[in-house]
Amino acid sequence: MFNSTTKAEIKISGMSCAHCVARVEKSLKNLDGVKDVKVDLETGKATVKYNPKKVEPSKLEDAVKEAGYDVES
């Protein structure tokens, strides 16, 4: 069965170290429907590949906030 995948880029503020990156990645990967996560400390961006039928973009942002960081619009 074919699963569609969408890519989202989330601008994150408040990350300052590798531990921050790991926390954000773990929080996003725990969402059902998230296929892949890459967080770049230097750019402050998370690139998330996810199935839009299983998870909404707002849930991705909520996961970042729950990890303790802010999402920039």
Side-chain angles (χ1 to χ4, degrees), residues 3-7 33 49-57:
N3 285 329
S4 63
T5 302
T6 300
K7 185 168 97 172
K49 291 182 183 174
Y50 66 99
N51 181 337
K53 293 180 182 179
K54 290 189 173 185
V55 65
E56 297 177 14

Side-chain angles (χ1 to χ4, degrees), residues 56-67:
E56 297 177 14
S58 63
K59 296 294 182 192
L60 301 175
E61 293 182 3
D62 289 346
V64 171
K65 292 175 185 172
E66 287 171 15

Side-chain angles (χ1 to χ4, degrees), residues 9-54:
E9 283 197 354
I10 303 169
K11 182 74 174 157
I12 303 167
S13 62
M15 294 189 304
S16 60
C17 63
H19 178 72
C20 298
V21 169
R23 236 175 116 165
V24 171
E25 284 181 347
K26 182 179 178 184
S27 185
L28 288 165
K29 286 179 181 177
N30 282 337
L31 294 174
D32 185 36
V34 171
K35 308 289 185 198
D36 187 47
V37 178
K38 288 191 177 40
V39 178
D40 187 322
L41 180 61
E42 286 189 30
T43 63
K45 285 186 182 176
T47 303
V48 184
K49 291 182 183 174
Y50 66 99
N51 181 337
K53 293 180 182 179
K54 290 189 173 185

